[in-house]
């Protein structure tokens, strides 16, 4: 990295590389658990969001915004979940051109079955971390997200494309 930075400080690049590596580790473990049960990590996220919303459900566009994905991706995830009987679509009572996705009893059961193995996997992954360290890690990761959102807002206000 020192060569890439032409001898300048590499600490921020090293921190970014460590954050990417940690993200990949968590996602690999998470994907392993969810895909073994037939769902992608994105589909699990949608199920969790719909469970939190209860009977109100959500439009696919709202799921996209809250989940940081494209509307097309959210629609595809709802399609997948609907085909498996974990979500159902219903006409939106506020907008007849739209639909609302709601979690089904089968979706709730799927999440309940997934909870214990997920909790065990995360406990193993974060083994040896104190509660203080976990709070600090969560705080630092959320600060990264806030900084990225601020940068995206600045760049899009300047007419640049949104960074990935």
């Amino acid at each position: 990295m020192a060569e890439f930075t032409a001898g300048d400080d590499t600490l921020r690049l090293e921190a970014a590389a460590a954050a990417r590596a940690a993200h990949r580790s968590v996602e690999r473990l998470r994907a392993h658990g969810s895909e073994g049960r037939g769902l992608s990590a994105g589909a699990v996220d949608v199920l969790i969001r719909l469970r939190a919303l209860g009977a109100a459900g959500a439009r696919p566009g709202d799921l996209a915004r809250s989940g940081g994905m494209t509307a097309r991706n959210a629609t595809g995830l709802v399609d997948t979940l609907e085909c498996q009987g974990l979500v159902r679509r219903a006409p939106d009572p506020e907008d007849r051109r739209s639909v609302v996705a709601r979690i089904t009893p089968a979706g709730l059961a799927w999440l309940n079955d997934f909870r214990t193995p997920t909790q065990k996997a995360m406990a193993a992954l974060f083994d040896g971390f104190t509660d203080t360290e976990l709070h600090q890690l969560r705080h630092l990761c959320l600060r990264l997200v806030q900084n990225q959102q601020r940068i995206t807002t600045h760049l899009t206000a300047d007419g640049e494309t949104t960074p990935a």
Side-chain angles (χ1 to χ4, degrees):
M1 260 193 226
E3 183 179 323
F4 174 74
T5 61
D8 288 340
D9 182 23
T10 61
L11 184 58
R12 282 161 184 78
L13 289 174
E14 291 171 14
R20 279 192 308 274
H23 169 75
R24 285 193 300 270
S25 293
V26 170
E27 285 305 307
R28 270 194 298 272
L29 186 60
R30 188 169 173 229
H32 177 73
S34 60
E35 289 170 0
R37 291 172 169 74
L39 294 182
S40 69
V44 174
D45 285 344
V46 168
L47 268 184
I48 290 169
R49 288 173 195 287
L50 290 174
R51 183 169 104 195
L53 294 168
R59 295 181 187 111
D62 294 335
L63 288 169
R65 279 185 290 286
S66 69
M69 65 184 95
T70 66
R72 173 178 250 173
N73 190 17
T75 299
L77 292 170
V78 169
D79 288 345
T80 298
L81 292 166
E82 188 176 38
C83 285
Q84 295 192 19
L86 305 176
V87 165
R88 68 176 167 80
R89 281 188 174 100
D92 185 342
E94 297 176 15
D95 181 355
R96 63 186 174 128
R97 299 168 296 164
S98 188
V99 296
V100 174
R102 293 185 179 96
I103 193 166
T104 64
L108 291 170
W110 191 98
L111 281 176
N112 287 335
D113 290 344
F114 186 60
R115 179 183 300 116
T116 299
T118 299
Q119 289 171 326
K120 287 180 180 178
M122 290 301 119
L125 184 63
F126 291 102
D127 184 44
F129 285 72
T130 66
D131 286 352
T132 300
E133 289 170 328
L134 290 171
H135 284 287
Q136 185 177 23
L137 178 62
R138 180 186 64 196
H139 175 73
L140 293 172
C141 289
L142 291 174
R143 279 180 53 194
L144 286 173
V145 170
Q146 289 172 338
N147 285 349
Q148 186 275 326
Q149 289 170 341
R150 185 177 33 76
I151 292 165
T152 298
T153 300
H154 173 76
L155 292 177
T156 54
D158 289 345
E160 295 185 31
T161 58
T162 303

